[in-house]
């Protein structure tokens, strides 16, 4: 469970409700079916108009990704240690010795890199192949995040549309001034929902997916670096230090106590 998402949503709701209390706005004002209908259904419709069906169909999976932690077969630290071990093995027994390790590795990306080494591919071919794989992954992730980005763009505008519709209904009967005031107040609830969902939910969700993508991409970049250095016959300690440059000094100190920055 990605607790930061849950905590963020709770804080956002508490902030909205707390602001209503301080402003003297009753919670019952939020119980506006018309506003909820316009924002939720309208945003869903706009997103479906903006994306092919196969992209819109991923929305359930995207929500799951927002609320679950990014899982890679190995952490960055584990990748560094694993590739360092592979470098030592290759140094002692030759690159073909890595063939036995391929089936024991749980990461398909790493398996692919090791297989290319044992097939005798040169570093340029290996780098191009793995980089293309990485770029394709980043493109998919960017497309997924853009679903939430677009939803965050549409929702506030639909909120304004909902307010206009509410005002039209309110001004249609101006005889009762007290009722008119309540109707105008209710008309702006759609704007509240639009801004809240757009800038507190959809845009932040898109940003979280982008951040998760960067973390996964970093993991793969470390693999690419290690694979290329092993293929070039670099010394294991140098390979480790080069891979360590991908992670922060704090992470190095925490995970590699014997590494001196």
């Amino acid at each position: 469970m990605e607790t930061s998402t849950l905590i963020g949503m709770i804080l956002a709701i508490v902030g909205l409700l707390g602001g209503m209390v301080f402003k003297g706005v009753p919670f019952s004002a939020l119980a506006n079916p018309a506003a909820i209908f316009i924002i939720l259904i309208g945003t869903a419709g706009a997103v479906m108009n903006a994306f092919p069906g196969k992209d819109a169909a991923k929305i359930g999976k995207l929500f799951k990704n927002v609320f679950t932690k990014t899982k890679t077969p190995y952490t960055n630290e584990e990748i560094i240690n694993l590739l360092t071990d592979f470098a030592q093995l290759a140094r002692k027994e030759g690159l073909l010795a890595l063939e036995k390790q391929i089936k024991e590795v749980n990461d398909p990306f790493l398996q692919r890199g090791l297989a290319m080494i044992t097939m005798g591919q040169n570093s340029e071919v290996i780098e191009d192949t793995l980089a293309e794989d990485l770029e394709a992954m980043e493109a998919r992730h960017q497309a997924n995040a853009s679903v939430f980005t677009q939803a965050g763009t549409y929702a506030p505008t639909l909120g304004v549309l909902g307010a206009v519709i509410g005002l039209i209904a309110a001004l249609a009967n101006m005889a009762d001034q007290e009722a008119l005031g309540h109707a105008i107040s209710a008309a702006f609830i759609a704007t509240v929902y639009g801004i809240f969902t757009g800038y507190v939910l959809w845009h932040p969700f898109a940003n979280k997916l982008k951040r998760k993508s960067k973390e996964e991409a970093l993991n793969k970049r470390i693999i690419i670096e290690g694979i290329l250095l092993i293929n070039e016959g670099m010394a294991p300690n140098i390979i480790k230090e080069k891979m360590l440059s991908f992670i922060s000094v704090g992470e190095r100190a925490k995970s590699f106590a014997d590494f001196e920055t």
Side-chain angles (χ1 to χ4, degrees), residues 142 144-154 202-203 206-207 210:
Q142 181 64 34
N144 291 339
S146 67
V147 173
F148 282 130
T149 299
Q150 290 303 107
T153 300
Y154 302 143
W202 312 140
H203 276 305
N207 188 73
K210 292 175 183 177

Side-chain angles (χ1 to χ4, degrees), residues 177-188:
Q177 294 297 311
E178 183 176 351
L180 176 63
H182 288 296
I184 292 175
S185 176
F188 287 100

